[in-house]
Amino acid sequence: MLKGEPLKAALANALRDAESLGGQERRFTALAVREMSRHQRLLDLASRTLGHPPSKIGLLEDQALVRYVLWRRLFCGASWARIGPEVKLPGPVRPRTIKDDLLARVVESPLPEPAMPESGPERLATRYSFPNWLVQRLAELHPEPVLEAMLAALDEDPTLHFRARPSGTRAEVLARLAEEGVVAEPVEVAPDAVRIAEASHRVFETRVMKEGRLQVQDVGSQLIVEACRPLEGSLTGQTVADVCAGAGGKTLALADEVGKSGRVLAGDRSRRRLAQARERARELSLRHVSFPHPLPMAQADVVLVDAPCSGTGSLAREPDQKWKLTAKSVEEFHDTQLALLEELAGQVKPGALVVYATCSLLPEENDAVVRDFLARVPGFMVEPLAPLFGPERAAVLCDGPFLRALPPRVPGGGFFAARLRKG
C-alpha cells in the first residue's frame, strides 16, 4: 500500500496469499492496516517525538513496523510483552533494517506530550490525521465544533450498515436477526437501513443474509437511491439507468425499487467492477437488470449519475485515499463530473429525472458542478429534495434543495445528491 497500491487491493492480495491465516487473524490484519493508514499523521508525530522520525527510517516496511507498534501502544493499550512476540525477529521473512531493541524503546520510552499546532484547522488535521489543505477547506464550510465531529467520525473504523431487502419489512428482518442471536437496530434516517450492534461478521452466517434479505450498503448510498423516487408514488414499473454502476450496490437497490415490472440499465467504464455487478444481480436472480452497451439513455425515466469523485466522504472506509488526494485532483474531478453531466444531458428524454450524486464533502464536486451545469446546459431545473424526505428527515438530510448527508449526523460516510429535471 505504501508503494502506491490502493489499500483495499493491497490487503485483498496479501490475504489471498496468506492461506494459513484464520478468520480472526484476517479481521485483525485488515483492522490494523486500516488503522495505521487512518492515524498515520499522528503516529508519525509520536515517532518523531520519541526521536525516530520516519525520514531516518530507510525502508517503507520499517516505517510501517514503527507505526504498528505505536498503534498497538497508543490505541490498543498494549505493552511490549504483548507487542514483542508479534514483531520480533526471526518472525516472518521481510525487509528489516531496525532491531527489536529499537522497537522495544518505541513502546516503553516515556512519550512527552507532542507539540501540537496552535491554529484550529492545523491542530484538528494533526489530531485526526488529515492533510492540512483538506481540513482548511472544510473549515471554510463548517464551524469548528461541526468540523471536529465530522473529522472524528471519519477517523473511526466504520460500522457495517445493511439494507433490508424485499419482500417484507425492515421490522421483520430485525426480528429474524434477533431469533438468530444477532443484535441489530434500525437507522432512523433511512427507511430500510440496519446497523449490526455487535460482532458484525456473524451476520454473514445468518439465514436472513444467505436468503438475500440483507445487502451491505452505506446509509448515504441508500439515501441516494431514495432520491431517485418520484415525489409522489414509487419507482415501480419505471426504467432507471445507473450510469456509473460500479460494483452494483445502488443497481441492486434500484432493482428492488422498480420491481419486476420495471427495468434497471447498468453501465460503468470499469469492466472489472461491472462484472461484479453482473454477478451480484445474477446471484439474486434480478432478471430485470441488464447491462447494455451503450446504455439506451432515451429509454430511462430516471438517470442516476453516481459520479467519480474524490471520495472525501468515504475516508473512514478508505483512509489511504486522504494521503493521495490533492487540491488539484479535486479540480480535475470537477471537470470530469461536469463533462459527464453535459454528455448525458442531450441523451436523456424530456421529463426525465437526472440524479447527480457523489461521496464527496467538497462543494467543488457538488454544488459547483450543479451550478456550472445549469449555467451551460439550458432546459434543466433543480427539484428540491426536502418534499421527498419529509420535514423531520429533511431537517437532518437537506441543505437547501440538495441532499447533504454529513457524518456523524448521518452514520457512515458523507454523500451529496441533487435532482435535475429535464424540461
Side-chain angles (χ1 to χ4, degrees):
M1 184 197 78
L2 292 174
K3 293 177 180 177
E5 190 172 2
L7 183 153
K8 191 182 295 185
L11 184 60
N13 292 336
L15 291 177
R16 182 195 60 216
D17 296 339
E19 297 177 354
S20 63
L21 292 185
Q24 187 172 353
E25 293 166 317
R26 289 172 180 273
R27 286 189 291 274
F28 178 80
T29 300
L31 172 65
V33 171
R34 291 195 302 270
E35 286 284 278
M36 288 160 62
S37 180
R38 178 172 291 114
H39 304 300
Q40 180 175 312
R41 181 171 181 172
L42 196 61
L43 294 172
D44 286 352
L45 175 60
S47 181
R48 288 195 299 273
T49 302
L50 289 166
H52 306 290
S55 60
K56 290 187 178 180
I57 300 173
L59 290 177
L60 291 175
E61 291 86 347
D62 288 343
Q63 293 176 19
L65 200 56
V66 171
R67 287 176 187 141
Y68 175 78
V69 299
L70 281 168
W71 171 69
R72 294 286 280 136
R73 171 185 177 175
L74 299 176
F75 289 86
C76 306
S79 65
W80 178 246
R82 183 67 181 269
I83 301 170
E86 298 170 0
V87 297
K88 280 183 179 179
L89 290 171
V93 177
R94 59 180 178 268
R96 184 77 170 265
T97 61
I98 54 180
K99 297 181 179 179
D100 291 339
D101 60 347
L102 183 146
L103 294 175
R105 290 198 300 275
V106 168
V107 175
E108 295 179 323
S109 298
L111 179 60
E113 189 70 27
M116 298 289 281
E118 292 184 6
S119 74
E122 191 174 354
R123 178 183 61 81
L124 293 177
T126 304
R127 167 65 183 84
Y128 295 104
S129 285
F130 282 84
N132 282 346
W133 74 267
L134 178 57
V135 176
Q136 183 63 55
R137 183 68 188 96
L138 292 172
E140 296 168 6
L141 307 171
H142 306 287
E144 188 165 315
V146 173
L147 174 61
E148 182 160 12
M150 183 187 301
L151 296 176
L154 292 172
D155 199 39
E156 294 180 355
D157 205 45
T159 302
L160 273 180
H161 291 94
F162 295 80
R163 179 178 64 88
R165 297 189 61 245
S167 58
T169 65
R170 175 171 65 180
E172 291 171 345
V173 169
L174 290 171
R176 289 190 59 190
L177 286 172
E179 290 173 3
E180 297 193 57
V182 174
V183 180
E185 58 191 25
V187 179
E188 298 302 339
V189 293
D192 297 315
V194 171
R195 186 181 80 87
I196 308 301
E198 59 182 4
S200 58
H201 61 275
R202 288 181 53 220
V203 71
F204 294 99
E205 303 304 317
T206 62
R207 291 189 299 275
V208 179
M209 192 77 189
K210 291 177 179 178
E211 291 170 5
R213 295 293 308 283
L214 277 175
Q215 174 194 338
V216 176
Q217 190 170 37
D218 275 331
V219 176
S221 291
Q222 297 182 47
L223 293 170
I224 287 172
V225 170
E226 191 178 352
C228 295
R229 293 175 179 172
L231 293 179
E232 296 180 1
S234 72
L235 275 172
T236 302
Q238 296 199 29
T239 297
V240 180
D242 188 359
V243 176
C244 305
K250 297 181 186 69
T251 304
L252 303 184
L254 288 166
D256 289 339
E257 290 278 343
V258 302
K260 293 181 180 180
S261 61
R263 288 192 303 158
V264 176
L265 313 169
D268 196 273
R269 292 179 180 177
S270 169
R271 292 184 180 181
R272 177 185 60 81
R273 298 187 74 199
L274 201 58
Q276 293 177 301
R278 288 178 189 269
E279 181 61 21
R280 295 174 75 183
R282 187 194 63 78
E283 288 175 352
L284 294 172
S285 300
L286 298 175
R287 294 183 178 86
H288 55 297
V289 177
S290 60
F291 300 86
H293 181 75
L295 289 176
M297 303 300 300
Q299 297 178 19
D301 304 299
V302 179
V303 177
L304 173 58
V305 185
D306 186 15
C309 71
S310 64
T312 46
S314 301
L315 293 178
R317 196 169 303 286
E318 299 184 73
D320 59 313
Q321 293 304 309
K322 61 186 172 184
W323 309 120
K324 300 174 182 179
L325 282 175
T326 64
K328 186 176 186 301
S329 65
V330 172
E331 293 177 9
E332 292 169 351
F333 276 118
H334 168 276
D335 295 342
T336 299
Q337 293 150 355
L338 181 57
L340 178 59
L341 276 181
E342 288 180 318
E343 179 185 339
L344 294 172
Q347 300 178 41
V348 301
K349 65 184 181 182
L353 175 67
V354 176
V355 176
Y356 171 74
T358 74
C359 56
S360 174
L361 302 172
L362 299 172
E364 291 89 337
E365 301 178 86
N366 298 334
D367 315 54
V369 171
V370 174
R371 179 198 65 216
D372 293 348
F373 171 73
L374 294 174
R376 292 193 189 190
V377 181
F380 282 81
M381 61 175 292
V382 174
E383 281 189 355
L385 271 155
L388 185 70
F389 294 126
E392 188 173 335
R393 287 201 299 151
V396 175
L397 300 175
C398 293
D399 176 18
F402 305 128
L403 164 69
R404 206 183 308 274
L406 300 178
R409 193 168 55 191
V410 175
F415 294 83
F416 171 89
R419 287 166 63 97
L420 304 168
R421 180 74 66 179
K422 185 171 184 177

